[in-house]
Amino acid sequence: DIVMTQSPDSLAVSLGERATINCKSSQSVLYSSNNKDCLAWYQQRPGQPPKVLIYWATTRASGVPDRFSGSGSGTDFTLTISSLQAEDVAVYYCQQYYDTPYAFGQGTKLEI
Amino acid sequence: EVQLVETGGGLVQPGGSLRLSCAASGFIFGNYWMHWVRRDPGKGLVWVSRINSDGTSTAYADSVKGRFTISRDNTKNTLYLQMNSLRVEDTAVYYCAKRAGLEGKNWFDPWGQGTLVTVSS
């Protein structure tokens, strides 16, 4: 099974500053049909269901502000929030969707 | 608008059973794989199970294999999770989620609001 490991577990960032969350997969999640990594990032605000932010490791989902960006390849991935807003307080998860079980990272709690 | 609405959660004793339902609307339900994911208290998201579009193929996390059964009724646009032999550690908010698309588009989008399952004596 693929294991996803996020760091840090929690992060406090000032408004307007940059936040960076890392995610490492225990093996490659490269989808050979399109040469893209099967890696998604989700945001879960308090009391809300998770919402996809990024898929294919770097593609922003529809309606997601451009301050959110995904980078990385192979087994190392990063979610960056370029200028933190108050509404970005949430738990962020990476997930591999290459194969079952579709493992999530343990989550990173982002606070102001 | 795509909507997923879970029902069926509640309080159950260890060893008991519960069936969750997820009513889908706003898309052609029978065309998409569906998933159950849970958020354990104090922990994170854990993938539980998935079913293919016509219900002929399923997969489970090791922690629920043999106890949980995923199914679907495409005539009723509804996904189910039958949970038997429940344990205290199954306590969680359970979400249903739609596979985003076809051909490798296996991320989850959208998710339902979730239903709380509490296993306690």
Side-chain angles (χ1 to χ4, degrees):
Chain A
D1 295 355
I2 300 173
V3 177
M4 307 300 290
T5 304
Q6 283 180 238
S7 62
D9 290 337
S10 63
L11 184 61
V13 175
S14 301
L15 290 174
E17 295 299 303
R18 177 185 299 258
T20 301
I21 300 170
N22 299 301
C23 175
K24 188 174 184 67
S25 61
S26 60
Q27 64 190 72
S28 171
V29 295
L30 183 67
Y31 186 55
S32 57
S33 295
N34 62 6
N35 205 38
K36 296 182 179 182
D37 292 295
C38 297
L39 190 285
W41 289 97
Y42 298 88
Q43 175 194 62
Q44 187 169 28
R45 291 174 172 144
Q48 295 294 314
K51 167 190 162 185
V52 66
L53 297 175
I54 304 285
Y55 53 86
W56 296 131
T58 60
T59 303
R60 242 185 333 267
S62 175
V64 174
D66 60 7
R67 65 181 180 272
F68 291 91
S69 64
S71 62
S73 63
T75 60
D76 292 283
F77 305 94
T78 300
L79 174 70
T80 301
I81 308 172
S82 60
S83 177
L84 193 72
Q85 305 298 303
E87 61 264 32
D88 300 335
V89 169
V91 180
Y92 293 84
Y93 298 92
C94 62
Q95 181 213 20
Q96 66 83 11
Y97 53 89
Y98 178 77
D99 196 11
T100 56
Y102 296 118
F104 293 87
Q106 76 273 24
T108 295
K109 186 175 184 179
L110 179 58
E111 300 172 308
I112 304 292
Chain B
E1 179 194 3
V2 174
Q3 276 202 315
L4 300 170
V5 179
E6 302 93 336
T7 55
L11 174 63
V12 61
Q13 292 188 337
S17 298
L18 214 54
R19 188 174 86 153
L20 306 183
S21 299
C22 171
S25 60
F27 65 103
I28 302 174
F29 181 70
N31 284 357
Y32 290 88
W33 292 18
M34 297 292 295
H35 299 265
W36 288 100
V37 180
R38 70 188 188 190
R39 181 170 181 176
D40 295 346
K43 296 183 182 179
L45 299 174
V46 178
W47 174 80
V48 173
S49 182
R50 73 103 177 118
I51 188 167
N52 70 344
S53 54
D54 63 5
T56 58
S57 173
T58 59
Y60 299 90
D62 286 346
S63 58
V64 307
K65 203 173 293 182
R67 300 186 299 121
F68 290 12
T69 302
I70 190 172
S71 62
R72 64 191 298 160
D73 185 336
N74 288 346
T75 65
K76 295 182 178 179
N77 291 345
T78 303
L79 174 72
Y80 303 101
L81 186 67
Q82 177 66 44
M83 304 186 295
N84 298 331
S85 302
L86 281 161
R87 304 168 179 167
V88 171
E89 55 265 34
D90 295 318
T91 295
V93 175
Y94 285 75
Y95 301 96
C96 65
K98 170 185 162 288
R99 182 192 191 190
L102 307 177
E103 298 300 325
K105 296 177 181 176
N106 293 334
W107 62 92
F108 302 168
D109 183 33
W111 300 54
Q113 286 293 321
T115 186
L116 175 63
V117 172
T118 303
V119 184
S120 174
S121 55

